[in-house]
């Protein structure tokens, strides 16, 4: 049962990332690159937008920030800001059981994300670290005359004789829509995440029906579907399967014992795991009054739910850099608050 859940969860994450890539690239081409330029226009703007996306409960905002990073719209500091602010699916649990603490915590994480994102860009420059700033293949080839989002002869011309890839994508989108509606892919209950995925499905379906064959084959087929999607799914599924096996044999609640400093360090180390589940133990321990706020803050800063999985499929190095930067902030602030009695 856990293995099936991991497969379906990986399928849902990969579907969302694929849809976001399709929609973001479409609007970027539609705006002739102005969408990218609007994010590149100022680092401060990136920090605020990315930190806000990370502050949203769940992993959808993180997935979107990773998509922007891979398109060169966000810099490394903005990506760090997002993951500092993000608490993944644990945010929903915190809102349910500790709402009086959750809302101020989210606000604090947003502020920390903005400030630390700015500091991270300074540090990587001073240390000579060169994280990848964009995807290794430009997505919108604006100089090419064939790169357009609307066919010269109109939509009906290519729908009357559809390209084979268009038929494959439409079949895939139909199955995905049915799976989401039935609760087989994505959340089982009707919530805003499920509705957001359906909205994205509708937008992506519009793209698939209207774009010319060149855009369909080069942008969606060759680049997104073949270059990114298999690696995203493989990394996501592999990580979730590994976690499912580990949690079957290890009872994390029994691990949390001993002196509180070690519990805080453990919270930081477990925060390196790209999954929301293991971090929930610190939410419940805080709700019970077993651990102080410093432990909860450390866990919230370092962990980011599933948000890092799409980046892992593209750059393990950048993923580790983000985690190391956030681990440093989590430990410094967590230990400082702990020794001041919080």
């Amino acid at each position: 049962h856990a293995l099936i859940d991991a497969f379906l969860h990986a399928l849902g994450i990969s579907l969302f990332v694929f849809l976001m890539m399709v929609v973001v690239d479409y609007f970027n081409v539609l705006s002739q690159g102005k969408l990218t330029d609007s994010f590149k226009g100022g680092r401060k703007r990136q920090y605020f937008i990315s930190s806000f996306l990370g502050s949203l409960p769940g992993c959808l905002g993180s997935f979107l920030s990773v998509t922007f990073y891979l398109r060169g719209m966000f810099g490394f500091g903005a990506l760090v800001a997002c993951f500092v602010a993000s608490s993944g699916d644990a945010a929903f649990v915190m809102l349910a059981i500790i709402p009086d603490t959750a809302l101020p915590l989210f606000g604090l994480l947003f502020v920390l994300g903005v400030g630390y994102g700015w500091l991270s860009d300074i540090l990587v420059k001073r240390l000579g670290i060169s994280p990848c700033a964009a995807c290794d293949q430009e997505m919108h080839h604006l100089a090419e005359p064939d790169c357009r989002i609307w066919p010269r002869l109109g939509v009906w011309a290519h729908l009357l004789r559809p390209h084979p890839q268009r038929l494959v994508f439409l079949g895939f989108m139909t199955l995905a829509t049915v799976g989401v509606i039935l609760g087989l892919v994505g959340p089982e209950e009707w919530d805003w995440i499920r509705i957001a995925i359906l909205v994205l499905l509708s937008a992506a379906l519009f793209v698939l029906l209207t774009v010319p064959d060149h855009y369909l084959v080069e942008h969606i087929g060759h680049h997104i579907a073949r270059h990114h999607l298999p690696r995203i799914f493989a990394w996501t599924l592999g990580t979730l399967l590994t976690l499912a096996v580990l949690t079957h044999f290890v009872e994390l609640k029994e691990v949390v014992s001993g002196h509180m400093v070690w519990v805080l360090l453990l919270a930081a180390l477990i925060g390196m795991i790209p999954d929301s589940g293991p971090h929930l133990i610190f939410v419940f321990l805080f709700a019970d009054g077993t651990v102080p706020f410093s432990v909860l803050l450390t866990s919230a800063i370092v962990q980011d739910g599933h948000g890092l999985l799409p980046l892992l499929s593209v750059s393990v190095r950048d993923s580790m850099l983000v985690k190391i930067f956030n681990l440093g902030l989590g430990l410094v602030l967590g230990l400082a608050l702990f020794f001041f009695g919080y």
Side-chain angles (χ1 to χ4, degrees):
H1 186 269
L3 298 181
I4 294 176
D5 283 346
F7 176 82
L8 293 176
H9 204 167
L11 195 63
I13 291 174
S14 301
L15 172 64
F16 179 81
V17 174
F18 170 75
L19 296 175
M20 281 306 315
M21 286 183 170
V22 169
V23 173
V24 168
D25 182 73
Y26 179 85
F27 280 105
N28 197 39
V29 176
L30 177 66
S31 65
Q32 291 293 291
K34 292 184 177 63
L35 177 61
T36 301
D37 294 338
S38 68
F39 287 104
K40 287 182 175 179
R43 293 286 183 179
K44 293 180 181 179
R45 185 187 310 167
Q46 293 181 19
Y47 304 143
F48 277 96
I49 295 175
S50 187
S51 189
F52 170 75
L53 291 174
S55 300
L56 299 175
C59 298
L60 302 191
S62 299
F63 293 157
L64 184 56
S65 290
V66 171
T67 300
F68 286 158
Y69 177 70
L70 296 178
R71 296 293 162 273
M73 299 175 174
F74 280 171
F76 181 75
L79 192 66
V80 170
C82 173
F83 287 121
V84 167
S86 176
S87 297
D89 293 338
F92 293 112
V93 180
M94 285 190 275
L95 286 171
I97 65 175
I98 50 171
D100 293 340
T101 302
L103 293 177
L105 174 62
F106 297 160
L108 175 60
L109 291 174
F110 170 79
V111 174
L112 289 174
V114 174
Y116 196 57
W118 168 77
L119 180 61
S120 297
D121 274 337
I122 295 177
L123 290 176
V124 294
K125 186 176 181 180
R126 294 282 180 87
L127 297 175
I129 300 173
S130 300
C132 82
C135 191
D136 58 358
Q137 179 179 348
E138 193 65 29
M139 284 293 294
H140 49 81
H141 321 294
L142 296 179
E144 296 184 9
D146 290 334
C147 184
R148 58 181 66 242
I149 58 158
W150 200 261
R152 290 188 178 92
L153 300 178
V155 174
W156 290 111
H158 68 249
L159 288 182
L160 291 175
R161 293 183 178 180
H163 192 282
Q165 284 196 28
R166 196 182 304 273
L167 296 177
V168 171
F169 280 125
L170 291 176
F172 167 77
M173 296 290 286
T174 301
L175 291 175
T177 303
V178 172
V180 172
I181 292 175
L182 296 179
L184 300 176
V185 179
E188 296 181 0
E189 303 294 333
W190 280 99
D191 56 12
W192 71 274
I193 297 179
R194 196 170 179 181
I195 295 173
I197 294 176
L198 287 175
V199 171
L200 281 175
L201 277 167
S202 301
L205 181 62
F206 172 81
V207 172
L208 293 173
L209 288 173
T210 58
V211 295
D213 290 345
H214 169 82
Y215 186 98
L216 178 80
V217 174
E218 295 298 328
H219 289 239
I220 301 177
H222 289 171
H223 189 80
I224 298 177
R226 295 183 183 180
H227 183 72
H228 285 292
L229 192 59
R231 291 192 295 177
I232 290 171
F233 180 75
W235 270 96
T236 303
L237 179 61
T239 302
L240 294 178
L241 287 175
T242 301
L243 291 172
V245 172
L246 286 176
T247 53
H248 179 75
F249 293 103
V250 178
E251 180 57 51
L252 293 178
K253 290 184 179 181
E254 296 180 359
V255 177
V256 182
S257 59
H259 299 292
M260 199 56 66
V261 173
W262 293 107
V263 175
L264 189 148
L265 294 175
L266 183 62
L269 292 177
I270 292 180
M272 300 290 285
I273 301 173
D275 182 36
S276 296
H279 319 300
L280 293 179
I281 182 173
F282 301 103
V283 176
F284 287 107
L285 289 174
F286 176 81
D288 293 338
T290 306
V291 299
F293 177 76
S294 55
V295 174
L296 180 67
L297 179 64
T298 300
S299 174
I301 291 175
V302 182
Q303 73 101 352
D304 41 64
H306 298 105
L308 196 69
L309 292 179
L311 183 62
L312 272 170
S313 67
V314 177
S315 175
V316 176
R317 178 175 175 269
D318 281 28
S319 302
M320 292 301 100
L321 280 175
V322 170
K323 277 297 187 182
I324 290 171
F325 269 72
N326 289 5
L327 177 65
L329 178 66
L331 286 175
V332 169
L333 289 183
L335 289 172
L337 286 178
F338 175 78
F339 286 115
F340 277 104
Y342 294 98

